[in-house]
Amino acid sequence: QAALDELRAIEGSLEGRWRRRLVSGLAAVALTAVAGAGWLWWSREPPPGERLPVVVADVENGTGDPSLDALSGLLTAALEPSRRIDLVPRPRLLSLARQAGMGELPRLDARAARELARVAGAKVLLTTSARREGSGVLVEVRGTDPADDKALFTVAESGGAGEVAAVLDRLAEAVRRRLRERREDLAAGRSGVAEAVTASPEAARRYYQGIDCELRPSTFGKTSGQDCGEYFQQALAQDPAFPLAHYRLARLASWGGASPADIDQHLGPALRAASRLPGRDAALVRALEDEIAGRPDDAIRRYEEILARQPDDRDALISAGGLHYARSEWAAASTYYERITSADPGNDFVLDGLVRCLGSLGKRDALRALLDRVRSEPPSPDRTEAIVRGLVWLGEPERAVEAAQRAVAAGGGVPAESLLSSALLVAGRFEEAEALQRRRIASVPKRVPSRWSLAMILAGEGRQREALRVLDEAERTGEGFTASDHAYVRAVVAAATMEPAAVWREAAKAAASNSSDEPRLAVLLALLGDVTHAREIGAAARPGSVERDQLDALLVWRGGNPVAAQARLFAAEKRDPCPTAGLFPSHLLGEVASAAGDHRNVIGAAQRFGRLWPGGYWFGWASSRMLLLSARAHAALGERAEARTEVDRLLARLRRADPDLPLLGEARALRARL
């Protein structure tokens, strides 16, 4: 184009008809040269490692057979082993569509795929069509240059109803030849569709429906990932040996906390077929094996190998980020999650995880910027959750309550109500949280966790006797939980009295039949001063675990060294301010610092505790306890107005508390002194 523009400029500066003819001739020569250069580019064998970005559109299925909707997915799988073709991932195309204002495309038809291929910088668009040919099917693949829609080649193959996989194998090889794949690469990169994926078009159709389900969290919601598993189950009903369907179900099972045996039900068949899978898929299967076997570093290395070839690979990014997230490695996890949201700003699958990472790292500016961006997107369940949780991390619980209330009013259902209940607790609005929880119990009377949550709220209000009655009701009316589960929750709620004997009665029952509860209960007993029993059941705590670290810190405190205990707890809080195991380090710090007379650290711990999402059935009484500790610290520092404000908040919360509750007596005595 630059050469033509220059020639036209010359033409304008010359006079005479012969000169214009001369320039026209030169222009024709230039065009011929450009066309010749393009032909040479397409005809030459590329140098080793040269990649060609390619987009595959969804099939135009004119057969009337819906199972053949899977043809484009199967063609993509057949092309995946190519060292020449760099397939633009479907998640990337869906992301570009959202960014371009095209919304959630139901399918990537030829027109949409052409526009997206241009934006993605693809050199080739492959469009597939299928039509009936006698008793068989004719499948045609057309390659075009998306920049100008110029046809590059067309290849076609036909076969009977049971020959679809073989037809696609032949088409894939023809496409690779037309795209000038090097001979040695073509010979080394063959992979049969039937062996690597499935010979059943209907199984493939169900499988790709499941993949599409996973790729559209803003439509289906993050928690629907388990629902997407139904498609993979349907795929296995058509082809019980389908390795990639087995892999997807194994991954969903591992995310859902299934036992190793349940996971292996699907991971085993996927592993046995791994040698037949394309390189990327085989790496995903083996990485999951590493995860289940407790080799996270090996799994991360495999994911990084995938990302070295395809930096935006969604499966590898989510899985690698999840491994770091599980180890509370917030900086590393956020790097992967930010790469996902950067590549696909409209995809909210990892939003909640990214909020947790930024909050745990104390990156308030980055978190606020993330929430501002999320608010600019259309509402979805996961975006609402990110906003509500993010506002809590930013120390704005009242705004979090307002956002959750809007979600409930908009018909957000149970997920929105759960968000609202937790936000109300952080804001200290316990009576409203109680009313909401009672409505949820009335709608689903046999749901045990709802009653457990109500007991937690009542304990925070100082209504300990009523909380224990609710736990009795949960055990009588609920289903699906063991006596040990109920004993554990009862022990945690009983700690509201700060009486270790009452906690030990229940903790002993829970620990007797479920050793996994022992470390958590040991932390609770050490906090209350029952060192003997804490050591006894705390022996089961794994070295390096959250419970082990917390227990050791509390035992150091109980041994007479609060300074060393605080140092350990500060380190634990820096690693993870709101672990799922143990208690929140900020609460433990508040207790230790208060006992040591370290009033400023008490106030700081209470402020940090107030920015954390409710995380256990101890949260209710711990929240009230932190108000008392903070009020005492302010009073000790001579900050009487701040002390009165906090103790008055606590007394308002305890207005219906059991009269003999120690916390109530302490709060009243403090108020009298103020």
Side-chain angles (χ1 to χ4, degrees), residues 38-277:
W39 181 87
L40 286 172
W41 188 88
W42 278 107
S43 63
R44 67 176 173 84
E45 186 175 74
E50 183 181 274
R51 307 279 287 173
L52 192 65
V54 174
V55 165
V56 179
D58 285 349
V59 65
E60 182 184 332
N61 183 6
T63 66
D65 180 356
S67 72
L68 297 184
D69 289 346
L71 288 180
S72 52
L74 290 171
L75 177 63
T76 299
L79 293 172
E80 202 276 338
S82 171
R83 298 175 186 174
R84 164 72 166 154
I85 298 172
D86 188 10
L87 294 163
V88 180
R90 190 175 183 86
R92 173 70 174 148
L93 297 172
L94 293 175
S95 170
L96 290 173
R98 286 189 284 266
Q99 294 176 59
M102 300 166 72
E104 292 287 354
L105 294 177
R107 61 190 305 272
L108 295 176
D109 60 22
R111 181 177 179 181
R114 184 182 309 116
E115 295 302 319
L116 296 173
R118 289 171 181 166
V119 176
K123 297 291 187 183
V124 179
L125 170 66
L126 298 179
T127 53
T128 309
S129 63
R131 64 177 184 270
R132 289 291 179 191
E133 185 180 66
S135 59
V137 176
L138 176 67
V139 182
E140 181 179 276
V141 178
R142 183 171 182 259
T144 60
D145 184 342
D148 55 11
D149 205 24
K150 179 181 179 181
L152 301 175
F153 63 84
T154 299
V155 293
E157 291 283 345
S158 60
E163 299 175 320
V164 172
V167 165
L168 288 167
D169 287 340
R170 296 194 295 270
L171 284 170
E173 183 161 351
V175 168
R176 292 169 68 178
R177 289 184 183 280
R178 293 301 182 98
L179 295 182
R180 303 300 174 185
E181 185 152 354
R182 293 175 62 83
R183 294 177 184 85
E184 61 267 31
D185 291 344
L186 188 63
R190 289 188 172 90
S191 178
V193 166
E195 294 77 18
V197 189
T198 179
S200 166
E202 179 60 18
R205 182 173 78 96
R206 295 298 185 182
Y207 173 78
Y208 290 120
Q209 284 178 329
I211 295 297
D212 224 33
C213 173
E214 289 186 345
L215 293 181
R216 302 174 188 270
S218 56
T219 299
F220 296 99
K222 176 184 60 183
T223 54
S224 72
Q226 298 296 328
D227 298 333
C228 298
E230 294 180 8
Y231 293 109
F232 304 130
Q233 293 283 10
Q234 293 166 8
L236 289 180
Q238 298 294 322
D239 178 3
F242 196 158
L244 294 180
H246 277 297
Y247 161 73
R248 293 284 166 178
L249 288 170
R251 190 172 75 153
L252 288 174
S254 71
W255 287 354
S259 69
D262 289 338
I263 296 171
D264 190 61
Q265 174 186 354
H266 293 295
L267 183 56
L271 281 169
R272 288 191 288 274
S275 62
R276 306 196 307 268
L277 297 177

Side-chain angles (χ1 to χ4, degrees), residues 427-450:
R429 295 159 63 170
F430 273 60
E431 289 192 13
E432 293 171 74
E434 177 194 344
L436 177 58
Q437 202 62 36
R438 289 189 183 279
R439 290 196 297 272
R440 297 183 68 185
I441 291 172
S443 63
V444 189
K446 291 186 178 295
R447 190 174 185 276
V448 170
S450 294

Side-chain angles (χ1 to χ4, degrees), residues 14 59 64 91 164 241 287 304 318 343 354 357 379 468 556 627 632:
L14 296 176
V59 65
V164 172
E304 283 296 342
I318 288 175
L354 183 54
C357 291
L468 295 176
V556 167
L627 271 179
R632 279 179 178 170

Side-chain angles (χ1 to χ4, degrees), residues 318-601:
I318 288 175
S319 296
L323 286 171
H324 287 292
Y325 186 94
R327 297 192 294 191
S328 301
E329 295 169 353
W330 310 119
S334 66
T335 299
Y336 289 99
Y337 291 163
E338 285 170 342
R339 286 168 66 178
I340 295 171
T341 57
S342 175
D344 187 0
N347 189 319
D348 48 15
F349 188 86
V350 297
L351 271 181
D352 185 47
L354 183 54
V355 165
R356 169 80 181 269
C357 291
L358 296 176
S360 297
L361 292 167
K363 293 187 173 182
R364 297 170 63 82
D365 291 342
L367 178 55
R368 197 175 295 280
L370 174 65
L371 297 188
D372 289 343
R373 180 182 66 72
V374 173
R375 289 191 193 95
S376 69
E377 301 286 343
S380 75
D382 297 332
R383 290 171 192 151
T384 297
E385 181 178 359
I387 291 168
V388 174
R389 287 179 179 262
L391 288 170
V392 168
W393 275 110
L394 291 172
E396 302 176 18
E398 292 297 338
R399 291 187 63 198
V401 169
E402 292 170 4
Q405 287 172 330
R406 287 194 294 271
V408 171
V414 172
E417 289 178 351
S418 295
L419 284 176
L420 177 57
S421 178
S422 294
L424 287 168
L425 290 177
V426 179
R429 295 159 63 170
F430 273 60
E431 289 192 13
E432 293 171 74
E434 177 194 344
L436 177 58
Q437 202 62 36
R438 289 189 183 279
R439 290 196 297 272
R440 297 183 68 185
I441 291 172
S443 63
V444 189
K446 291 186 178 295
R447 190 174 185 276
V448 170
S450 294
R451 293 181 187 271
W452 287 348
S453 295
L454 176 59
M456 177 266 290
I457 295 169
L458 293 171
E461 294 177 303
R463 296 154 66 186
Q464 189 68 7
R465 294 187 181 88
E466 189 175 354
L468 295 176
R469 286 197 297 272
V470 168
L471 294 181
D472 289 339
E473 293 170 4
E475 193 163 8
R476 287 195 305 269
T477 63
E479 299 173 349
F481 293 89
T482 66
S484 175
D485 295 329
H486 288 284
Y488 169 77
V489 177
R490 185 179 290 275
V492 172
V493 173
T497 63
M498 304 301 287
E499 297 174 1
V503 175
W504 173 243
R505 281 195 297 272
E506 301 300 331
K509 299 175 191 174
S513 55
N514 188 349
S515 60
S516 65
D517 288 334
E518 291 180 345
R520 293 176 290 175
L521 293 169
V523 172
L524 194 58
L525 289 166
L527 173 64
L528 301 182
D530 187 349
V531 171
T532 300
H533 289 126
R535 290 185 186 279
E536 177 184 329
I537 64 174
R542 179 175 51 82
S545 65
V546 169
E547 298 99 323
R548 180 78 263 170
D549 290 345
Q550 292 187 0
L551 178 58
D552 288 346
L554 293 175
L555 291 176
V556 167
W557 168 44
R558 292 301 183 184
N561 193 343
V563 175
Q566 286 187 74
R568 291 187 179 213
L569 291 170
F570 273 121
E573 185 181 24
K574 186 174 182 180
R575 286 193 300 273
D576 190 352
C578 54
T580 55
L583 282 75
F584 289 168
S586 53
H587 171 62
L588 301 180
L589 271 167
E591 294 283 3
V592 175
S594 180
D598 190 351
H599 306 304
R600 283 298 175 201
N601 271 337

